[in-house]
Amino acid sequence: MTNASGSLPVTFSDDVTTDSGSQHITRPGGTNAHVLVIGKTAYISGDLSALTTYFGFSRTVATKIGDRWVSIASTNGGYATVASDATLTSVLANLTPHGQLTELAATKMHGRSVIGVRGALPSSLNGTVTIYITRSSHPLPVFAVFKAQERGIAVTSNSTMSAWGERVALKRPTDVISASKL
């Protein structure tokens, strides 16, 4: 998944299952962040830049975290924000067009025959999403395009979905500090 905001592109690479997943976030200039969702716990890690700018920790707390992972229980108020887009359920919720839908002409994408469906983004966002789905007896999403306004900035996100049915093996991190202790 690639997301560009103005002149600062952000790349998201996700491997997700229904209720768990892994997300790696990179930004030019060296910002690297990671999110894991396993069971009812989210884990985050990243470099100093990611911990302060992406996850919002103070520099002092980010330095204390260092190379460790931070665990966030599903009962923590920050869990939903961190886990968003790191599970199949949340990814599909954010990629599903809402409101009045427009069917686009059939086309080829990534070597597959697809049909596009365009509609509004979820109500909390101002914009549109177009999702391209295989034209088969077992339709699957192949590609999606977000177009939105975020704090007055035009944001475009292109997402490629592949390897449906592939096993996703996730391993709990070992060097972990609880968010409740920060």
Side-chain angles (χ1 to χ4, degrees):
M1 179 185 297
T2 302
N3 183 357
S5 174
S7 61
L8 295 173
V10 178
T11 301
F12 296 81
S13 177
D14 299 32
D15 282 322
V16 297
T17 69
T18 303
D19 58 1
S20 62
S22 170
Q23 181 179 65
H24 300 281
I25 306 146
T26 55
R27 201 175 221 164
T31 301
N32 292 292
H34 307 280
V35 177
L36 287 174
V37 177
I38 301 172
K40 299 223 180 263
T41 305
Y43 301 89
I44 59 175
S45 73
D47 57 27
L48 185 62
S49 175
L51 291 172
T52 57
T53 60
Y54 192 77
F55 294 121
F57 291 109
S58 70
R59 189 169 182 81
T60 302
V61 171
T63 302
K64 178 180 176 182
I65 294 167
D67 292 337
R68 292 183 287 180
W69 287 82
V70 176
S71 64
I72 304 167
S74 62
T75 54
N76 182 304
Y79 174 87
T81 301
V82 170
S84 179
D85 286 339
T87 67
L88 181 60
T89 304
S90 61
V91 168
L92 291 179
N94 290 330
L95 292 178
T96 302
H98 295 272
Q100 183 177 342
L101 303 178
T102 303
E103 184 177 326
L104 305 178
T107 189
K108 286 258 187 199
M109 191 169 281
H110 302 287
R112 301 181 89 173
S113 180
V114 297
I115 188 107
V117 177
R118 179 175 295 136
L121 285 168
S123 61
S124 62
L125 301 170
N126 181 21
T128 62
V129 62
T130 304
I131 190 158
Y132 294 89
I133 303 163
T134 56
R135 295 179 64 199
S136 70
S137 59
H138 300 289
L140 292 170
V142 173
F143 195 77
V145 179
F146 281 97
K147 293 190 179 194
Q149 289 287 322
E150 190 175 298
R151 293 186 289 267
I153 298 172
V155 176
T156 300
S157 172
N158 299 311
S159 302
T160 301
M161 291 146 272
S162 61
W164 287 98
E166 179 180 280
R167 182 166 144 55
V168 176
L170 301 171
K171 187 176 177 183
R172 290 184 194 280
T174 55
D175 193 6
V176 178
I177 184 169
S178 172
S180 64
K181 297 188 188 226
L182 296 174

